[in-house]
């Protein structure tokens, strides 16, 4: 009997001493379970993944102390330390926080419906607001400087207006949408991208290459889709306020309110001011435009019994900006005494999305915008008014091995200005129908076929097809091939200084055709998850773009005319770009991108390099977290290779090509306090500005009204002792900001 008791006690002791435990739990983000999350039990070197319900499990775990790491692309890795003793069912849950340095996994821009980034046949890059916070800016236009293959281009040294270049194509060929609605036009790109409160941006999705088969005109070179937050998911209140040593101040506020049981409203306010004239390059002109801007954004979400979507959003925008001679003030506006460029801009935007009360998945979307601009360039007045209305119907139909999207759209555009380039108000209508079928050929093979038919009142019929193929050899590898076309209807209006100077006649030499592009893109995406919790993502793309029927206004053939015609030739770009994303369990995270391309214009058999197009560029965002100090360090930057610059004459002494240049920034963020962040740092730490090594940036800055310029009988400028280079006043020799090194300091406060 004693022996039996001894044996039983020994067995029980052995069982408890070598007990095999189970650890399980749910991993979620924003109260939603995450599938395929990598979970790593460090001491035992065991790994697991969550299922479709976000649940993971480790079995046969001996008693002891362990470190468990949960990591998932797009979110910050989270680690927990536990001690386990005879617990057959220990529950350990994780709630992952979104990470700034890794691309989000769900996209909508490529196919007009939510889909996993690994599953979509169309390559889409995604950047969250957390990524934008790595280098705080007052507007989305500047924030895009850290995106690989995307470059904000300033077009004027004085007024600082600009546009967005994607893979070398100029700004008018980049379509900018908000929640998929085309309310940002080519006239107003820089204004439309200014003043969107960062607190209301959920993410920015970017497609490089033609997207006209889904989005129509202007999506020739690519698409930038700014997606705003859903009111239900937004924080109750957020504030982000910063100022720089140049006395630039940006205030970004957001708050939401439950108006009733069935309505939630989200309000965002952005205010920016800069009123300190600075002239560090000593040309008696402001280095940066002075601005005062306010933008109010309001989005409503309505709760319906059917749980179907219904949102309405609107934005009011006003900006007063000016640049010019240092002694300029508003009493000089429009006069010939002191040169200044003053722009008053008013914008109203409205957009809505309504899911129809049908058993099928159908949506009606609508947007409208009105843009009024009152500008003066010295003594030249530019008054412009543009209105755009857009409506779209889509039907998402799923069938066996097929995912169909059918749609119809209508776009109306009104434009009028007081320049000679616009003889009468332009009224453009585009009627569209489109279809897309995503076909599952096999478990690892998908093909997407799409086509769009547009009818334009000026150009008639326009057809834009697309095809895409995706192959997933493994769950962490994706090969894609995309081919498609893009188009842009003719827009003769312009805001270039040459068109605003003098009294030029408009000459159209032919029946103008829409500008068109053809593109093929090869893409490879690889994800690697290491046992220690490290994540490495690699994506590379190679592309070829052929562009014809370009319409470039000719101001040179006859100084008394603006001549419009389709380019007698073509443009092409061959390129390759790569992104590397790294997340480690010890606090280091990075995104590094490189783009190399070879652009070429061919006109009348003569080949040339296009102006303001770099042949290579690099971007990076590197973060290091030090948890014990509650500190994050962000090092961001870009570098651009030489680009051809616009010279005014054969005697112009300025360099035809820019040098290699780089803008680099560093930021320190302190996160000890709940819901509160303090951040500060230095922008342009190399103190680089484009005037270095250049005799001047603004041509004839000493004679902005061309009072001492002499012309021949044909209107050509003559070289004289007072004008040895035969130049006129011109601020278009610009490719980078004139701001040097400056510090910044800010605070963020959020209530969830």
């Amino acid at each position: 009997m004693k022996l039996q008791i001894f044996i039983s006690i020994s067995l029980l002791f052995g069982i408890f001493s070598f007990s095999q435990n189970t650890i399980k739990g749910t991993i979620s983000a924003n109260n939603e379970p995450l599938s395929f999350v990598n979970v790593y039990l460090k001491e035992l070197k065991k790994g697991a993944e969550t299922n479709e319900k976000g649940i993971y499990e480790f079995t046969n775990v001996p008693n002891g102390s362990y470190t468990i790491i949960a990591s998932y692309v797009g979110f910050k890795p989270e680690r927990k330390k536990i001690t386990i003793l005879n617990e057959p069912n220990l529950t350990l849950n994780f709630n992952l926080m979104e990470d700034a340095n890794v691309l989000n996994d769900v996209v909508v821009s490529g196919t007009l419906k939510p889909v996993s980034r690994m599953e979509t046949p169309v390559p889409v890059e995604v950047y969250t607001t957390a990524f934008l916070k790595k280098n705080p800016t007052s507007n989305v236009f500047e924030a895009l400087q850290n995106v690989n293959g995307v470059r904000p281009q300033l077009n004027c040294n004085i007024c600082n207006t600009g546009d967005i270049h994607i893979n070398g194509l100029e700004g008018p060929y980049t379509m900018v949408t908000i929640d998929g609605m085309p309310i940002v036009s080519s006239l107003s790109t820089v204004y439309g991208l200014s003043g969107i409160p960062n607190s209301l941006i959920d993410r920015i999705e970017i497609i490089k290459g033609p997207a006209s088969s889904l989005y129509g005109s202007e999506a020739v070179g690519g698409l930038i889709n700014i997606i705003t937050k859903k009111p239900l998911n937004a924080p109750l209140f957020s504030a982000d306020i910063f100022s720089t040593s140049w006395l630039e101040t940006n205030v970004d506020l957001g708050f939401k309110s439950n108006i009733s049981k069935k309505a939630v409203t989200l309000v965002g306010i952005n205010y920016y001011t800069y009123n300190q004239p600075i002239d560090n390059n000593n040309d008696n002109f402001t280095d940066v435009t002075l601005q005062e801007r306010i933008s109010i954004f309001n989005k409503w979400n309505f709760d319906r019994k059917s749980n179907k979507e219904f949102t309405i959003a609107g934005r009011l925008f006003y900006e007063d900006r000016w640049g010019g001679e240092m002694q300029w003030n508003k009493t000089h506006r429009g006069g010939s005494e002191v040169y200044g460029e003053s722009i008053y801009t008013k914008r109203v935007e409205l957009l809505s999305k309504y899911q129809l009360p049908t058993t099928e998945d159908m949506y009606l979307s609508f947007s409208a915008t009105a843009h009024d601009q009152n500008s003066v360039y010295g003594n030249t007045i530019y008054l412009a008014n543009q209105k755009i209305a857009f409506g779209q119907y889509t039907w998402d139909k799923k069938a066996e091995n097929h995912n169909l999207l059918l749609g119809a759209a209508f776009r109306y555009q009104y434009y009028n200005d007081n320049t000679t380039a616009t003889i009468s108000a332009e009224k453009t209508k585009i009627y569209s129908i489109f279809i897309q079928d995503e076909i599952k050929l096999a478990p690892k093979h998908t093909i997407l076929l799409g086509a769009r038919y547009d009818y334009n009142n000026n150009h008639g019929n326009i057809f834009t097809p697309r095809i895409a193929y995706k192959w997933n050899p493994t769950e962490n590898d994706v090969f894609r091939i995309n081919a498609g076309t893009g188009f842009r209807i003719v827009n003769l209006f312009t805001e270039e200084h040459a068109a605003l100077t003098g009294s030029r006649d408009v000459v159209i030499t032919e029946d103008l055709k829409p500008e068109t592009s053809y593109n093929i893109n090869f893409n490879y995406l690889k994800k690697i998850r290491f046992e220690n919790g490290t994540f490495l993502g690699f994506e590379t793309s190679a592309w070829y773009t052929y562009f014809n029927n370009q319409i470039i206004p000719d101001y040179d053939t006859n100084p008394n005319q603006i001549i419009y015609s389709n380019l007698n030739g073509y443009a092409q770009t061959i390129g390759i770009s790569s992104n590397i994303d790294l997340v480690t369990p010890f606090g280091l995270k990075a995104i590094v991108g490189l783009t190399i391309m070879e652009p070429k214009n061919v006109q009348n058999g003569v080949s040339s390099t296009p102006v303001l197009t770099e042949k290579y560029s690099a971007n990076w965002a590197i973060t290091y977290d030090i948890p014990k100090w509650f500190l994050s360090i962000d090092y961001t930057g870009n570098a651009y290779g030489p680009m051809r610059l616009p010279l005014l004459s054969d005697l112009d002494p300025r360099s035809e090509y820019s040098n290699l240049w780089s803008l680099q920034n560093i930021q320190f963020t302190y996160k000890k306090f709940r819901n509160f962040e303090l951040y500060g740092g230095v922008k342009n730490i190399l103190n680089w500005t484009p005037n270095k090594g250049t005799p001047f940036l603004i041509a004839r800055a000493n004679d902005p009204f061309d009072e001492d310029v002499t012309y021949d009988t044909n209107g050509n400028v003559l070289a004289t002792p007072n004008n040895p280079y035969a130049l006129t006043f011109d601020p278009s020799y610009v490719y980078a900001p004139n701001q040097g090194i400056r510090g910044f300091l800010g605070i963020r406060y959020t209530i969830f």
Side-chain angles (χ1 to χ4, degrees):
M1 184 67 178
K2 292 181 179 180
L3 180 61
Q4 291 176 334
I5 294 174
F6 174 79
I7 293 173
S8 299
I9 293 174
S10 298
L11 288 173
L12 288 172
F13 178 80
I15 291 171
F16 284 115
S17 299
F18 301 96
S19 177
Q20 300 298 302
N21 308 285
T22 297
I23 305 172
K24 61 182 179 180
T26 301
I27 299 179
S28 59
N30 298 322
N31 298 318
E32 294 290 336
L34 289 176
S35 56
F36 308 113
V37 177
N38 182 42
V39 189
Y40 182 64
L41 209 164
K42 183 177 179 181
E43 286 74 11
L44 297 182
K45 297 183 179 180
K46 295 178 66 175
E49 276 192 342
T50 58
N51 61 18
E52 67 276 3
K53 296 182 179 180
I55 298 173
Y56 75 95
E57 184 176 18
F58 290 106
T59 59
N60 301 321
V61 180
N63 291 334
S65 296
Y66 301 100
T67 302
I68 299 180
I69 304 168
S71 61
Y72 186 63
V73 59
F75 296 85
K76 295 180 179 179
E78 184 177 348
R79 61 173 60 202
K80 293 185 178 182
K81 293 185 177 181
I82 60 170
T83 299
I84 187 169
L85 179 64
N86 303 328
E87 296 187 57
N89 289 292
L90 175 66
T91 300
L92 186 66
N93 297 326
F94 291 81
N95 185 32
L96 301 187
M97 302 297 292
E98 192 174 38
D99 190 281
N101 285 340
V102 187
L103 305 185
N104 201 314
D105 251 5
V106 176
V107 296
V108 298
S109 299
T111 57
L112 281 183
K113 47 187 154 185
V115 63
S116 164
R117 186 165 176 260
M118 294 291 287
E119 293 300 321
T120 176
V122 181
V124 181
E125 295 183 10
V126 185
Y127 298 90
T128 67
T129 52
F131 177 86
L132 304 181
K133 291 176 182 177
K134 298 298 180 184
N135 177 32
T137 62
S138 63
N139 56 72
V140 177
F141 177 79
E142 293 180 28
L144 293 173
Q145 65 183 288
N146 288 324
V147 176
N148 186 27
V150 177
R151 185 171 66 85
Q153 168 63 43
L154 292 176
N155 294 328
C156 174
N157 262 310
I158 299 176
C159 61
N160 288 166
T161 56
D163 49 40
I164 303 293
H165 291 206
I166 294 182
N167 285 347
L169 280 180
E170 296 179 351
Y173 309 116
T174 297
M175 188 175 206
V176 180
T177 63
I178 298 179
D179 290 334
M181 296 290 99
I183 64 177
V184 180
S185 63
S186 55
L187 168 69
S188 58
T189 296
V190 69
Y191 312 108
L193 289 174
S194 297
I196 300 174
N198 287 336
S199 59
L200 298 189
I201 298 176
D202 181 66
R203 64 190 186 273
I204 298 175
E205 298 186 358
I206 298 175
I207 296 177
K208 299 173 182 176
S212 289
S213 64
L214 280 184
Y215 294 93
S217 178
E218 297 180 19
V220 180
L223 170 77
I224 297 174
N225 187 14
I226 301 170
I227 299 175
T228 59
K229 291 181 179 178
K230 296 181 178 179
L232 294 174
N233 299 333
L236 290 174
F237 175 79
S238 64
D240 190 342
I241 303 170
F242 74 85
S243 186
T244 73
S245 57
W246 280 44
L247 300 182
E248 304 161 285
T249 300
N250 187 74
V251 179
D252 205 18
L253 303 175
F255 60 90
K256 76 173 180 180
S257 175
N258 293 310
I259 302 301
S260 67
K261 292 183 179 180
K262 295 186 177 181
V264 180
T265 184
L266 177 63
V267 178
I269 301 174
N270 175 261
Y271 175 74
Y272 174 80
T273 181
Y274 167 61
N275 56 15
Q276 184 71 27
I278 294 177
D279 178 26
N280 285 339
N281 58 18
N282 299 316
D283 59 3
N284 195 41
F285 276 78
T286 53
D287 291 342
V288 179
T289 55
L290 286 78
Q291 300 178 46
E292 186 166 21
R293 177 178 71 235
I294 186 166
S295 175
I296 302 173
F297 187 94
N298 188 203
K299 187 173 185 178
W300 290 73
N301 185 87
F302 298 95
D303 186 17
R304 300 163 63 191
K305 290 183 179 180
S306 60
N307 292 321
K308 293 183 178 293
E309 183 178 355
F310 181 28
T311 61
I312 298 177
R315 183 169 75 124
L316 299 175
F317 174 91
Y318 175 78
E319 183 182 77
D320 176 0
R321 70 162 64 196
W322 76 268
E325 293 186 274
M326 293 292 289
Q327 67 271 28
W328 189 91
N329 60 58
K330 290 189 177 181
T331 63
H332 300 122
R333 192 177 197 270
S336 302
E337 182 181 353
V338 180
Y339 188 90
E341 298 184 357
S342 172
I343 302 173
Y344 300 151
T345 304
K346 299 176 183 177
R347 282 182 62 82
V348 178
E349 301 168 353
L350 178 68
L351 57 154
S352 178
K353 188 173 185 179
Y354 179 77
Q355 190 173 6
L356 294 175
T358 61
T359 55
E360 298 290 344
D361 198 3
M362 299 181 181
Y363 289 88
L364 287 178
S365 301
F366 168 80
S367 70
T369 180
H371 181 99
D372 183 77
Q373 192 164 317
N374 181 325
S375 308
V376 296
Y377 301 90
N379 55 9
T380 301
I381 299 175
Y382 174 72
L383 304 175
N385 183 272
Q386 185 175 48
K387 298 180 178 69
I388 298 174
F390 177 81
Q392 180 171 271
Y393 160 81
T394 57
W395 176 20
D396 186 5
K397 178 67 175 178
K398 295 179 176 62
E400 185 178 359
N401 298 328
H402 290 266
N403 195 337
L404 281 165
L405 179 74
L406 298 95
F410 172 75
R411 180 173 177 173
Y412 172 81
Q413 178 173 292
Y414 168 92
Y415 176 83
N416 197 13
D417 67 28
N418 65 323
T419 71
T420 56
T422 304
I423 301 174
S424 61
E426 296 181 5
K427 300 177 183 179
T428 303
K429 299 176 183 178
I430 304 178
Y431 304 86
S432 313
I433 57 173
F434 54 91
I435 184 171
Q436 175 182 276
D437 188 9
E438 188 174 334
I439 307 169
K440 197 78 172 179
L441 301 176
K444 296 181 179 181
H445 299 269
T446 303
I447 190 170
L448 182 145
L449 303 174
R452 182 185 185 99
Y453 166 77
D454 293 86
Y455 178 80
N456 175 249
N457 59 309
N458 293 325
H459 302 298
N461 304 316
I462 304 171
F463 180 67
T464 48
R466 77 189 298 194
I467 184 171
Y469 169 74
K470 179 183 67 71
W471 173 43
N472 291 80
T474 73
E475 64 180 12
N476 293 317
D477 294 88
V478 182
F479 289 92
R480 299 181 179 97
I481 300 176
N482 276 254
T485 62
F487 75 94
R488 179 174 179 260
I489 62 172
V490 178
N491 292 280
L492 296 186
F493 60 84
T494 177
E495 201 177 344
E496 295 184 46
H497 283 256
L500 301 173
T501 303
S503 179
R504 293 172 177 256
D505 296 325
V506 175
V507 177
I508 302 175
T509 62
E510 59 183 318
D511 186 12
L512 296 175
K513 301 176 183 178
E515 300 173 285
T516 56
S517 69
Y518 306 87
N519 175 273
I520 185 168
N521 181 295
F522 300 88
N523 175 269
Y524 172 61
L525 175 63
K526 173 73 174 180
K527 294 182 178 182
I528 304 173
R529 296 181 177 91
F530 298 93
E531 290 186 350
N532 66 351
T534 297
F535 167 82
L536 180 65
F538 174 78
E539 183 173 15
T540 187
S541 295
W543 78 90
Y544 172 77
T545 300
Y546 179 90
F547 196 16
N548 65 356
N549 290 338
Q550 275 187 287
I551 300 171
I552 302 174
D554 178 4
Y555 303 104
D556 301 324
T557 300
N558 187 323
N560 299 311
Q561 295 179 337
I562 306 174
I563 302 173
Y564 288 97
S565 63
N566 287 114
L567 178 68
N568 184 19
Y570 63 91
Q572 70 174 27
T573 303
I574 301 173
I576 185 169
S577 66
S578 296
N579 282 318
I580 297 176
D581 309 320
L582 173 69
V583 179
T584 69
F586 50 83
L588 178 64
K589 294 162 283 187
I591 288 182
V592 179
L594 175 67
T595 296
I596 302 172
M597 56 187 175
E598 184 64 36
K600 180 175 68 173
N601 286 348
V602 177
Q603 184 173 8
N604 297 321
V606 179
S607 177
S608 64
T609 301
V611 174
L612 297 174
T613 304
E614 69 282 4
K615 291 192 175 183
Y616 59 86
S617 64
N619 305 79
W620 60 88
I622 301 172
T623 299
Y624 185 63
D625 291 321
I626 309 176
K628 64 179 180 180
W629 293 352
F630 307 99
L631 184 68
S632 289
I633 304 172
D634 298 299
Y635 171 49
T636 59
N638 51 56
Y640 297 100
M643 61 183 73
R644 193 163 73 89
L645 303 175
L647 300 181
L648 297 182
S649 74
D650 294 336
L651 300 176
D652 196 326
R654 296 172 294 183
S655 174
E656 186 179 3
Y657 286 87
S658 65
N659 296 319
L660 170 68
W661 56 282
S662 176
L663 299 177
Q664 302 179 25
N665 321 284
I666 192 165
Q667 176 184 236
F668 301 88
T669 306
Y670 187 65
K671 304 178 180 179
K672 182 176 181 179
F673 306 106
R674 180 179 176 86
N675 301 334
F676 177 84
E677 291 182 356
L678 176 66
Y679 62 92
V682 180
K683 289 179 177 287
N684 195 0
I685 57 180
L686 300 180
N687 196 28
W688 183 89
T689 52
N691 63 295
K692 295 180 179 179
T694 301
F696 53 85
L697 290 175
I698 300 176
R700 305 266 317 155
N702 62 319
D703 183 23
F705 294 100
D706 290 336
E707 294 176 350
D708 294 328
V709 176
T710 303
Y711 303 88
D712 64 16
T713 55
N714 293 322
N716 300 309
V717 181
L718 295 175
T720 64
N722 290 330
N723 187 12
Y725 306 123
L727 306 177
T728 57
F729 173 74
D730 188 89
S732 63
Y733 187 90
V734 57
Y735 57 95
N738 287 320
Q739 279 185 298
I741 188 171
R742 60 203 184 279
F744 65 92
L745 185 66
I747 58 173
R748 298 188 185 101
Y749 182 70
T750 306
I751 301 175
F752 293 96

